[in-house]
Amino acid sequence: MAPASKADRKAALDVASWMFNVVTSVGIIMVNKALMATHGYGFATTLTGLHFTATTIMTVVLRCLGYVQPSHLPVPDLIKFVVFANLSIVGMNVSLMWNSVGFYQIAKLCMIPVSCFLEVLFDKVRYSRDTKLSILVVLIGVAVCTITDVSVNARGLIAATIAVWSTALQQYYVHFLQRKYSLGSFNLLGHTAPVQAASLLLLGPFVDYWLTGQRVDTFDYNIIAVFFIILSCIIAIGTNLSQFICIGRFTAVSFQVLGHMKTILVLVLGFFLFGREGLNLHVVLGMILAVAGMIWYGNASSKPGGKERRSYSMPSGKSQKDGLLAESGQLDEKV
């Protein structure tokens, strides 16, 4: 009975983690869409800096209250993570500006095979045939319902390549650092969020001016716009935390594959909230195919041999570190 109860508890926590990420991610997309499309706040990089500032405040408060224990993350690893994360943010914004929406979506889909490559290369992961086919079905389904016009140019291709690889490396590094240094999601955020906040707030206004031709300080910060900015920052705390929790509990590939459920939900909510223009049969069929692929992936990857590591090198004192990791994850489970 005990093993079954433990497995049931893990399954419930897994589902809760995914729901936490889906709800916060879809929520922040809807809020940011209203902020940028309706109120004209196009400073995405600076806004992300504010998001990490709010996340930093959350981690500091929890550390002062004793909920987050002191931990260590070497400076070289911290710098590498922040470089990957900030390149991902800026790269995605530049890719969206320089590419057509269709090619931008193709670039986002490329993150899954790149993440698979990183896991095969560094973690010696082996995927079963069903797992590979299920990933392919998800890619086809999301492509059918999101890709429209596709045009490619040299600088757009370079920006998309940087965005894809930096995002995949950042997400892989989340899982890697949590395992290597026995860090819970709050601990890792406590190390990375302040550095990201400082760097993005410092560079963000210049990047946004380059992208939009407008200055952050000249924007009309009326009450409604400020309300949406604050709301976006509050939701971003949950989005950042849930991303670290999900990748820590699973892997970057699973986060990418099942994360496309957010793409489907955003499309559905967009049709209901902002009009049904663009909703047609092939979009609906693409959604159905993508969801079916996600269900297949969840089933195939959970079977024996569906997705397994042939070898995984851990630092010395593995059993002790595993105990610390389990302890540091208790706060994640409580969330």
Side-chain angles (χ1 to χ4, degrees), residues 135-148:
I135 292 175
L136 180 61
V137 170
V138 173
L139 291 174
I140 293 174
V142 176
V144 168
C145 62
T146 59
I147 296 175
T148 52

Side-chain angles (χ1 to χ4, degrees), residues 85-97:
N86 288 356
L87 275 177
S88 170
I89 295 167
V90 175
M92 280 296 177
N93 291 337
V94 174
S95 177
L96 182 58
M97 182 182 71

Side-chain angles (χ1 to χ4, degrees), residues 69-318:
Q69 301 303 318
S71 58
H72 174 67
L73 179 63
V75 174
D77 286 322
L78 174 60
I79 292 175
K80 282 190 286 187
F81 178 89
V82 172
V83 168
F84 292 147
N86 288 356
L87 275 177
S88 170
I89 295 167
V90 175
M92 280 296 177
N93 291 337
V94 174
S95 177
L96 182 58
M97 182 182 71
W98 285 350
N99 292 309
S100 65
V101 175
F103 187 75
Y104 174 78
Q105 291 294 340
I106 291 176
K108 288 181 66 177
L109 292 177
C110 289
M111 292 177 193
I112 293 180
V114 171
S115 296
C116 290
F117 172 76
L118 293 177
E119 288 192 356
V120 171
L121 180 64
F122 295 119
D123 292 347
K124 311 301 181 186
V125 171
R126 179 173 55 193
Y127 298 93
S128 68
R129 182 175 62 90
D130 283 355
T131 303
K132 294 175 184 176
L133 289 175
S134 65
I135 292 175
L136 180 61
V137 170
V138 173
L139 291 174
I140 293 174
V142 176
V144 168
C145 62
T146 59
I147 296 175
T148 52
D149 61 310
V150 178
S151 60
V152 185
N153 59 78
R155 65 176 187 172
L157 179 61
I158 293 173
T161 302
I162 293 174
V164 168
W165 279 94
S166 58
T167 301
L169 284 166
Q170 182 259 345
Q171 293 182 356
Y172 172 82
Y173 230 53
V174 169
H175 186 77
F176 172 78
L177 292 177
Q178 289 193 42
R179 298 298 302 176
K180 183 177 180 179
Y181 297 109
S182 303
L183 297 173
S185 302
F186 283 95
N187 297 105
L188 187 55
L189 270 176
H191 289 292
T192 60
V195 183
Q196 282 192 261
S199 57
L200 289 174
L201 287 179
L202 180 64
L203 299 175
F206 299 100
V207 174
D208 288 331
Y209 180 76
W210 175 50
L211 293 175
T212 65
Q214 298 177 341
R215 289 168 46 183
V216 177
D217 58 315
T218 59
F219 180 76
D220 179 22
Y221 290 93
N222 55 65
I223 295 178
I224 298 178
V226 171
F227 168 77
F228 274 106
I229 291 173
I230 295 174
L231 181 60
S232 178
C233 291
I234 293 173
I235 300 175
I237 296 174
T239 305
N240 292 331
L241 177 60
S242 64
Q243 181 193 32
F244 280 34
I245 290 177
C246 286
I247 297 178
R249 294 186 68 87
F250 311 104
T251 63
V253 173
S254 296
F255 181 76
Q256 282 287 340
V257 173
L258 300 180
H260 278 296
M261 177 62 72
K262 295 175 286 189
T263 304
I264 305 301
L265 289 175
V266 168
L267 284 174
V268 172
L269 289 175
F271 290 138
F272 279 106
L273 298 177
F274 302 104
R276 299 188 179 183
E277 182 181 356
L279 181 62
N280 50 48
L281 180 60
H282 88 270
V283 171
V284 174
L285 291 177
M287 292 179 181
I288 295 174
L289 187 62
V291 173
M294 293 172 201
I295 296 173
W296 187 11
Y297 173 83
N299 183 55
S301 62
S302 62
K303 289 181 178 179
K307 181 181 178 182
E308 59 184 10
R309 286 182 173 88
R310 292 193 289 272
S311 64
Y312 188 82
S313 59
M314 290 293 292
S316 59
K318 178 179 181 298

